[in-house]
Amino acid sequence: MKNTFLALILAAGKGTRMKSSLPKVLHKINNKSMIFWVINSLKHLDIKKYFIVLGHEKDVIKNHFVSSDEFKNFDQKKFNFISQKNQLGTGDALKVSLDFFKNQGENILVLSGDTPLIQEKTLQNLMKRHIETCSDITLLTANIPDSKSYGRIKRDKNKDIMEIVEEKNANEEEKQIKEINSGIYAFKTEFLEKYLNFIKPNGITKEFYLTDLVKIAYLENKKISSFTLDNFDEIIGINDKFTLSVANQKMRNLINKNFMLNGVILENPDTIEIDSTAEIEEDTVISQGTIIKENVKIGKNCKIGPFTFLKNTEIADNVEIKYSYSEDAFIGENSKIGPFSHIRPNSHIHKNVKIGNFTEIKSSTIKDNSKVSHLSYIGDAILENNINIGAGVITCNYDGKKKHQTKIGKNTFIGSNSNLIAPVNIGDGVLIGAGSTIYKDVPDNSLAIERSEQINKIDYFYKKQSNE
Ligand code: UD1
Ligand code: CA
């Protein structure tokens, strides 16, 4: 049992400053709730149980844990919800939780549901410092230029932490302190069991401040340590919608930085949004305005963007995609997509394929070296190798009731502006004359042309005009 850690996440507060009907911790950072990010930062740490303190709108938040798929990959057995009936402050939140977490583990990490940018590595460092120094409290602090709205860390002349002073309680001198409390701490559970009841309501706000534990520990000669961050981005606490937008940008920067450090080139990264779970290999370039949502895998040396949207898409090596949209698709090696292509669900694009401008592909397989370069709709089709689809070719897959399939054999050339009325099978080595409406199967190696004969009437237009 030695050195076991639990985690307590405070999320019962009303979030008045958000001015929102949505509970604060359900506001989104990079498409996921704040509370998701906090819990996600714990996922790979050795933490036995998570205790989540809920109060204001607790049913809405609890329901989010069940109905969103954010937590589906978590060990559900670790989650324990605690109800704080009256939101009497962070100290009270700890008090009502005590009966749940005491005797469950030696140490407890306490985090705020409104500090979603916290990184796993930092928590790891905090836990390590706590254990190595054998402290009763270890605080995560940071020096920040604008310390307003955070609790200030007051140190004595030996630089030992003696107290945390909240903005509302701080005098002018204390307000000048730049070292702040992140709201993230490690405690010895034993210390909390003994001293939580020492917290008295604050003289000004009447709230129970968890931060009062620091002064209590100092006066009782308990061991207080700290881990101080150089980069304070990750401990930004979100209390209003302006900070929410700042945090969104910072989260994007943190995620983007990780991709860049792992060998991905991001051009103009401020304009790029990538889901943190994306897998992107070395030397792939993502250029501006590109959005990569969940379940995306991209191989080596690809060029993605500008202005491309990807979701549930797997992309092999050396693929280029410009100004395009792809969802639920696979795109094979050396293929080129766009500009302005729309790859819709269940599309399998193999190697060296070209999908060009204003082309839509849906539920179709397009095999090696085939080209659909301009202005086409290919739906419910199987295209074999080395096919050339001319400009404006349409698979007419829908009869008003049902969808039907089009099959096209290898080495076939479909002339421009042809309509392929499904169900239809077009053989290998076929040539379809431009402008044909093909409604019967075409055998291998044939020419199919469906076109009324052209009539040229000499001088017709000139005569017509002179008769008028
Ligand atoms: C708190 C800290 C402050 C720190 C800052 C960091 C206290 C007294 N102050 O201030 O030193 O610099 O965080 O962001 O702790 N909550 C409950 N129950 C309650 C009240 C709050 O669960 O009764 C939860 C909130 O939902 C929130 C967290 O505790 O997730 C922090 O509360 P908040 O009111 O945002 O505290 P701050 O004023 O930001
Ligand atoms: Ca806060």
Side-chain angles (χ1 to χ4, degrees):
M1 274 283 277
K2 200 148 176 29
N3 297 338
T4 349
F5 267 92
L6 308 166
L8 183 77
I9 298 117
L10 306 182
K14 192 151 185 268
T16 318
R17 291 166 280 181
M18 283 305 271
K19 302 201 168 113
S20 172
S21 57
L22 187 71
K24 175 156 84 170
V25 296
L26 295 190
H27 277 273
K28 299 235 150 86
I29 300 284
N30 247 31
N31 306 312
K32 299 213 169 73
S33 67
M34 282 193 215
I35 193 148
F36 161 80
W37 289 112
V38 175
I39 297 175
N40 193 51
S41 69
L42 303 169
K43 199 174 179 184
H44 303 293
L45 300 174
D46 194 5
I47 291 177
K48 208 174 118 195
K49 284 184 175 177
Y50 309 142
F51 297 91
I52 300 151
V53 188
L54 300 178
H56 176 73
E57 297 276 22
K58 69 170 188 292
D59 296 332
V60 180
I61 302 173
K62 240 183 184 168
N63 186 44
H64 178 79
F65 276 80
V66 183
S67 61
S68 80
D69 56 9
E70 289 179 352
F71 296 95
K72 69 170 191 268
N73 296 325
F74 284 77
D75 181 356
Q76 301 296 329
K77 290 195 293 295
K78 285 192 174 181
F79 287 85
N80 299 273
F81 295 96
I82 298 172
S83 166
Q84 184 194 16
K85 281 213 178 60
N86 302 305
Q87 283 75 63
L88 304 177
T90 49
D92 180 67
L94 243 73
K95 277 191 200 182
V96 302
S97 308
L98 183 63
D99 279 345
F100 294 84
F101 68 72
K102 73 176 177 201
N103 306 324
Q104 300 281 332
E106 234 185 12
N107 304 285
I108 187 157
L109 267 186
V110 174
L111 304 103
S112 285
D114 67 354
T115 308
L117 269 56
I118 187 67
Q119 299 292 297
E120 178 184 306
K121 183 90 194 126
T122 302
L123 294 176
Q124 213 167 28
N125 287 330
L126 180 72
M127 289 159 77
K128 198 164 159 240
R129 174 70 47 91
H130 183 67
I131 296 299
E132 282 174 0
T133 54
C134 198
S135 297
D136 292 283
I137 308 180
T138 309
L139 301 169
L140 180 64
T141 76
N143 289 300
I144 80 173
D146 180 8
S147 54
K148 212 169 144 217
S149 85
Y150 293 96
R152 316 294 205 282
I153 305 287
K154 234 178 136 172
R155 293 183 183 257
D156 65 14
K157 42 183 189 314
N158 301 323
K159 300 263 184 263
D160 288 335
I161 296 176
M162 50 193 289
E163 194 181 350
I164 297 176
V165 186
E166 293 303 309
E167 169 80 16
K168 284 180 188 155
N169 301 85
N171 61 33
E172 280 315 309
E173 196 185 325
E174 288 161 341
K175 281 184 182 166
Q176 303 309 316
I177 300 174
K178 299 295 177 214
E179 188 181 10
I180 58 107
N181 168 30
S182 66
I184 296 169
Y185 328 74
F187 290 99
K188 263 194 194 144
T189 321
E190 210 180 30
F191 169 82
L192 293 178
E193 279 178 42
K194 191 153 173 206
Y195 292 103
L196 265 178
N197 279 326
F198 281 51
I199 304 177
K200 299 282 170 289
N202 184 271
I204 297 177
T205 61
K206 309 290 176 238
E207 281 184 22
F208 291 85
Y209 286 177
L210 120 67
T211 44
D212 281 357
L213 287 168
V214 173
K215 191 172 181 182
I216 294 165
Y218 184 75
L219 296 174
E220 295 286 326
N221 279 321
K222 295 286 161 189
K223 175 110 180 139
I224 308 169
S225 303
S226 61
F227 184 84
T228 304
L229 284 171
D230 300 328
N231 181 350
F232 53 84
D233 280 357
E234 53 177 287
I235 48 122
I236 183 168
I238 295 166
N239 296 324
D240 55 46
K241 285 178 178 151
F242 172 69
T243 337
L244 181 72
S245 83
V246 173
N248 253 306
Q249 187 62 48
K250 287 185 190 296
M251 176 66 102
R252 222 173 278 172
N253 292 347
L254 280 170
I255 294 172
N256 287 352
K257 184 175 164 194
N258 280 339
F259 281 108
M260 292 188 265
L261 295 178
N262 283 322
V264 181
I265 299 168
L266 300 192
E267 291 176 349
N268 214 340
D270 284 354
T271 67
I272 295 172
E273 176 189 325
I274 310 179
D275 188 276
S276 61
T277 61
E279 292 173 39
I280 309 176
E281 290 186 44
E282 280 169 33
D283 293 326
T284 279
V285 180
I286 313 280
S287 48
Q288 77 174 37
T290 293
I291 298 176
I292 298 178
K293 296 282 187 190
E294 64 272 18
N295 295 324
V296 171
K297 259 188 185 179
I298 305 175
K300 287 196 281 281
N301 297 314
C302 293
K303 289 199 165 77
I304 311 293
F307 301 100
T308 289
F309 178 100
L310 304 175
K311 186 175 172 184
N312 293 332
T313 295
E314 183 175 343
I315 296 169
D317 298 342
N318 299 309
V319 168
E320 284 181 27
I321 309 185
K322 286 180 196 156
Y323 299 95
S324 291
Y325 186 105
S326 169
E327 190 167 350
D328 301 334
F330 172 83
I331 300 168
E333 258 173 71
N334 299 315
S335 288
K336 290 191 168 52
I337 314 290
F340 313 112
S341 306
H342 186 180
I343 314 292
R344 292 178 50 202
N346 297 316
S347 296
H348 295 263
I349 292 166
H350 292 199
K351 292 181 199 163
N352 294 312
V353 170
K354 164 110 178 75
I355 307 294
N357 349 215
F358 307 106
T359 290
E360 176 176 339
I361 310 286
K362 192 224 58 168
S363 293
S364 293
T365 298
I366 300 180
K367 297 193 184 167
D368 298 356
N369 308 313
S370 288
K371 291 189 174 68
V372 191
S373 301
H374 334 262
L375 302 156
S376 281
Y377 170 63
I378 304 292
D380 303 295
I382 299 178
L383 275 59
E384 296 296 333
N385 295 341
N386 304 314
I387 291 171
N388 193 334
I389 304 282
V393 170
I394 303 289
T395 54
C396 309
N397 58 332
Y398 187 49
D399 62 10
K401 282 192 180 143
K402 277 193 191 150
K403 300 278 167 65
H404 300 280
Q405 201 177 45
T406 301
K407 284 185 178 171
I408 307 179
K410 60 179 186 287
N411 305 321
T412 282
F413 184 105
I414 313 282
S416 294
N417 236 26
S418 294
N419 305 307
L420 309 176
I421 302 193
V424 68
N425 291 322
I426 296 168
D428 297 345
V430 163
L431 175 63
I432 305 272
S436 300
T437 293
I438 300 295
Y439 54 96
K440 290 192 285 198
D441 290 354
V442 182
D444 292 349
N445 305 316
S446 8
L447 163 71
I449 185 157
E450 188 278 343
R451 199 191 279 166
S452 38
E453 205 168 319
Q454 179 174 337
I455 300 164
N456 289 344
K457 296 195 176 174
I458 305 299
D459 286 343
Y460 176 86
F461 187 52
Y462 164 75
K463 275 187 199 157
K464 188 167 176 269
Q465 279 177 327
S466 43
N467 287 341
E468 276 167 3

